[in-house]
């Protein structure tokens, strides 16, 4: 009998990531994977349907809808990779444990985001690092913060000085 969400959350902490829980999350991840692949197929069919519309405004609307759909599929493609990695982690016995600290990620967090690889605390630290290291300006996100941490010669003071100069130039 498959495990329900309520039964999953009622299990004692000592049973964390037992066989039933791993099976529950494997099924959830596989369901997400099937939905994404189904959506991709629908998008392909939808984009093949070429409708010739003489009105430029209608044509622009259709093109914008197609662009939005393609952006959504691109996000889903990235999520698909994370799903595959999570299933691999289940097979290896690493699923449900933080990549950075090795602590339990927690059933509630995994239920909300089955592809999570960091505990809430570790995720918060990563996000704070992003803000400190100016990642939005660089467009590098967490990967940029990790790379900068890997290079101890990285000069935070110089980065902050450059950011202040940039803001000053924008204001004047």
């Amino acid at each position: 009998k498959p495990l329900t969400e309520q039964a999953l959350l009622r299990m004692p902490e000592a049973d964390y990531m037992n066989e039933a829980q791993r099976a529950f999350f494997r099924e959830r991840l596989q369901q997400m994977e099937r939905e994404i692949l189904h959506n991709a197929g629908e998008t392909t069919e939808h984009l093949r349907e070429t409708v010739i519309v003489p009105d430029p405004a209608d044509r622009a609307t259709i093109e914008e809808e197609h662009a939005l759909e393609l952006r959504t599929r691109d996000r889903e493609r990235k999520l698909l990779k994370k799903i595959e990695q999570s299933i691999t982690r289940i097979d290896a016995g690493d699923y449900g444990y933080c990549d950075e600290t090795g602590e339990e990620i927690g059933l509630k967090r995994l239920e909300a985001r089955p592809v999570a690889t960091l505990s809430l605390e570790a995720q918060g630290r990563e996000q704070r690092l992003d803000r400190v290291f100016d990642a939005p300006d660089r467009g590098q996100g967490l990967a940029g913060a990790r790379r900068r941490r890997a290079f101890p010669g990285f000069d935070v003071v110089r980065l902050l000085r450059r950011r202040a100069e940039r803001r000053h130039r924008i204001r004047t």
Side-chain angles (χ1 to χ4, degrees):
K1 171 181 151 184
L3 196 61
T4 64
E5 292 175 16
Q6 293 82 14
L8 175 79
L9 295 175
R10 281 194 305 257
M11 291 181 117
E13 287 184 29
D15 289 345
Y16 187 74
M17 279 304 122
N18 63 26
E19 189 60 39
Q21 291 173 345
R22 287 193 303 271
F24 173 84
F25 286 111
R26 177 189 303 279
E27 178 55 37
R28 166 127 343 144
L29 289 162
Q30 288 171 340
Q31 178 62 34
M32 288 171 64
E33 187 176 38
R34 285 190 295 270
E35 288 173 12
I36 289 172
L37 293 173
H38 175 74
N39 291 344
E42 284 186 358
T43 297
T44 304
E45 289 301 316
H46 183 248
L47 293 177
R48 280 190 187 143
E49 298 169 0
T50 53
V51 178
I52 299 172
V53 181
D55 183 36
D58 290 341
R59 196 169 344 141
T61 301
I62 290 171
E63 288 175 10
E64 185 59 34
E65 287 172 356
H66 285 174
L68 177 64
E69 203 167 346
L70 289 172
R71 280 194 303 271
T72 302
R73 296 305 154 246
D74 188 51
R75 280 195 306 275
E76 286 181 348
R77 179 185 54 82
K78 293 174 186 173
L79 179 59
L80 197 56
K81 273 187 197 171
K82 290 180 181 181
I83 290 171
E84 291 166 358
Q85 290 169 348
S86 295
I87 291 172
T88 301
R89 288 174 58 116
I90 289 174
D91 294 338
D94 297 333
Y95 184 78
Y97 296 93
C98 179
D99 277 352
E100 282 194 11
T101 64
E103 298 171 348
E104 297 176 357
I105 292 176
L107 295 175
K108 286 183 181 179
R109 176 160 167 72
L110 288 171
E111 188 178 5
R113 182 151 174 80
V115 296
T117 59
L118 298 173
S119 64
L120 280 174
E121 295 80 21
Q123 183 72 39
R125 278 193 303 274
E126 290 286 346
Q127 289 171 347
R128 284 190 299 280
L129 273 174
D130 265 358
R131 286 192 294 273
V132 168
F133 285 116
D134 202 25
D137 286 354
R138 294 173 171 266
Q140 295 176 346
L142 293 176
R146 287 188 184 118
R147 185 169 38 258
R148 288 187 291 280
R149 265 188 285 141
F151 297 105
F154 180 76
D155 188 356
V156 176
V157 174
R158 188 177 68 205
L159 174 71
L160 294 174
R161 228 181 257 139
R162 267 196 243 139
R163 186 191 303 165
E165 289 170 2
R166 213 176 311 140
R167 285 190 188 131
H168 179 70
R169 272 185 271 152
I170 291 170
R171 286 186 200 140
T172 56

